[in-house]
Amino acid sequence: MVAFLMHAKEARHMSNTSAPILLTRDCLLGPLQKVIGVVEKKQTMPILSNVQMTIEQDTISFIGTDSEVELRGEALFISQTPVETIRLTLPGRKLADICRALPDNAAIELYQENECVVLRSGKSRFTLSTLPADDFPTIERESADVEFTLSQTALKSLLQQTQAFMAHQDVRYYLNGLLLTTSDNTLIAAATDGHRLAKAWIENAPVSDDIHIIIPRKGVMELLRLLSDSDEPITVRVGKNHIAISSPHFSFISKLIDGRFPDYSRVIPKKTELTLPLDRDQLKEALQRVMILCSEKHKAIRFEFREGLLTITANNPQLESAEESIPLDYHKELMDIGFNIKYLLDTLHTIPSGPITLSLNGPDQSVLFESQADKETGVSSLFVIMPMRL
């Protein structure tokens, strides 16, 4: 037996094969899935297609980055024998696909062989390319100017209620992200694409310092994927050029958009002549039915305000039409307003179930939707949508 072990060690030495690491599929996949969203297959730098894997003591961790957003996920690593610190890089997407294809809790043997890394599980064997771990780029950690603690569910709710309103690939680069700011101990998130605006806020937030930063769109979407609906606290650190968010299970770092976010308060109607109560679910279901026959190109629908009734109509170039009516406490002159139905549904998908209010001044001015503060998270929100010409 001793002779066999000596021969095995000699064979590994001669072929540049490292000692195998024994772990399970779920041990790999858990932290890997936390970071894989930021890893793209096609990158300007080949190493950005890789993830950095580190095993030390009782922890396995992965880091993924696109040089603008950096994610780190970790999990407990239980080994029956002492394991030296190991750090290497592997093709992120390919490794994730392999782990997903293996059975739950499948045993995995991982070892380096010459210039590659071999992953064995049962009768499956995969040989993956690797690049030097020392070449893996990480975002430089800056000192934080502001630091505070918040529950995951509160931050997730702030982002969820505003993310759909961020611009996408707009030449006004400062709109391709989400504003996070503070005012009088209120933490505020806001987003706009120039046609609509979302604002969500938490009063009496645990932050007294001034913040005014723009988180890029990709960072917001990855952070939403990481955050859970739990009261587990997370630490938020804001520096001059970055935001870092950490929990016991992940860490997130994103560079910030260097730009001036527009004064969103100017587009929120200060006074409105008419405020109408509506039920969010009833309106959303009516819009979803009307959308079936809405023009795919223009997405335009009409709100017809009549005595005691709101009628929603849509038509398309095939001369088809749809109509829905909702009882409404409306007793003024007849009024018609056009909307992009996608903007309305994005708003209603975001607002929690329950009563909402629709406030307006006329058919050619922006319309304000508001909901009650969420009892669990304390998040309040409002939404402004510009009308369409019909």
Side-chain angles (χ1 to χ4, degrees), residues 56-73:
E56 51 187 350
Q57 296 180 350
D58 59 352
T59 303
I60 179 170
S61 64
F62 285 95
I63 296 177
T65 182
D66 64 355
S67 77
E68 297 294 325
V69 177
E70 179 182 304
L71 306 178
R72 182 177 187 272

Side-chain angles (χ1 to χ4, degrees), residues 206-371:
V207 52
S208 56
D209 300 286
D210 290 337
I211 299 172
H212 194 87
I213 59 173
I214 306 174
I215 308 172
R217 179 187 182 89
K218 186 169 185 178
V220 172
M221 304 311 291
E222 288 303 319
L223 188 51
L224 273 170
R225 201 171 56 81
L226 289 171
L227 293 169
S228 64
D229 295 313
S230 75
D231 292 328
E232 183 181 62
I234 52 173
T235 301
V236 181
R237 298 180 178 89
V238 179
K240 183 179 179 181
N241 299 308
H242 82 284
I243 180 171
I245 297 171
S246 58
S247 82
H249 308 294
F250 71 84
S251 67
F252 163 95
I253 301 175
S254 173
K255 294 181 180 179
L256 302 174
I257 294 177
D258 184 13
R260 187 174 181 83
F261 200 83
D263 183 3
Y264 62 85
S265 63
R266 295 175 59 185
V267 302
I268 301 174
K270 302 296 186 293
K271 294 182 180 180
T272 52
E273 297 178 357
L274 189 61
T275 298
L276 302 169
L278 285 165
D279 180 81
R280 174 260 197 186
D281 291 341
Q282 186 180 28
L283 179 58
K284 187 177 82 167
E285 290 166 4
L287 288 172
Q288 287 173 329
R289 291 190 289 267
V290 166
M291 190 177 185
I292 297 170
L293 297 182
C294 185
S295 169
E296 292 186 10
K297 182 178 180 181
H298 300 292
K299 303 292 184 184
I301 61 165
R302 185 191 301 270
F303 272 27
E304 300 174 355
F305 294 90
R306 304 293 185 262
E307 178 68 28
L309 200 66
L310 168 62
T311 300
I312 306 168
T313 61
N315 53 62
N316 60 37
Q318 290 75 43
L319 303 180
E320 298 169 328
S321 63
E323 180 179 301
E324 288 275 343
S325 295
I326 298 174
L328 190 67
D329 187 19
Y330 183 80
H331 306 287
K332 293 184 178 292
E333 62 185 25
L334 307 185
M335 180 171 57
D336 293 353
I337 305 178
F339 288 108
N340 182 318
I341 193 169
K342 182 181 183 301
Y343 293 171
L344 291 176
L345 284 173
D346 282 346
T347 300
L348 296 174
H349 284 313
T350 298
I351 297 175
S353 295
I356 61 173
T357 58
L358 183 157
S359 302
L360 65 161
N361 286 314
D364 300 321
Q365 298 186 42
S366 57
V367 175
L368 176 64
F369 288 87
E370 295 178 276
S371 66

Side-chain angles (χ1 to χ4, degrees), residues 124-263:
S124 303
R125 186 180 190 275
F126 306 90
T127 302
L128 299 170
S129 62
T130 183
L131 292 169
D134 291 339
D135 294 346
F136 191 82
T138 56
I139 297 177
E140 185 178 351
R141 270 67 167 171
E142 300 175 348
S143 59
D145 300 324
V146 180
E147 180 176 327
F148 61 95
T149 301
L150 196 66
S151 71
Q152 289 203 43
T153 186
L155 181 58
K156 185 175 182 179
S157 182
L158 273 180
L159 302 183
Q160 279 181 329
Q161 299 204 40
T162 50
Q163 58 86 18
F165 292 68
M166 293 184 293
H168 185 54
Q169 296 182 338
D170 198 296
V171 293
R172 297 164 294 180
Y173 61 94
Y174 48 82
L175 297 184
N176 299 317
L178 182 143
L179 174 70
L180 192 66
T181 186
T182 53
S183 176
D184 299 327
N185 280 33
T186 300
L187 183 62
I188 302 167
T192 180
D193 61 5
H195 302 285
R196 50 190 177 151
L197 164 76
K199 174 187 174 184
W201 65 94
I202 302 174
E203 296 180 347
N204 300 315
V207 52
S208 56
D209 300 286
D210 290 337
I211 299 172
H212 194 87
I213 59 173
I214 306 174
I215 308 172
R217 179 187 182 89
K218 186 169 185 178
V220 172
M221 304 311 291
E222 288 303 319
L223 188 51
L224 273 170
R225 201 171 56 81
L226 289 171
L227 293 169
S228 64
D229 295 313
S230 75
D231 292 328
E232 183 181 62
I234 52 173
T235 301
V236 181
R237 298 180 178 89
V238 179
K240 183 179 179 181
N241 299 308
H242 82 284
I243 180 171
I245 297 171
S246 58
S247 82
H249 308 294
F250 71 84
S251 67
F252 163 95
I253 301 175
S254 173
K255 294 181 180 179
L256 302 174
I257 294 177
D258 184 13
R260 187 174 181 83
F261 200 83
D263 183 3

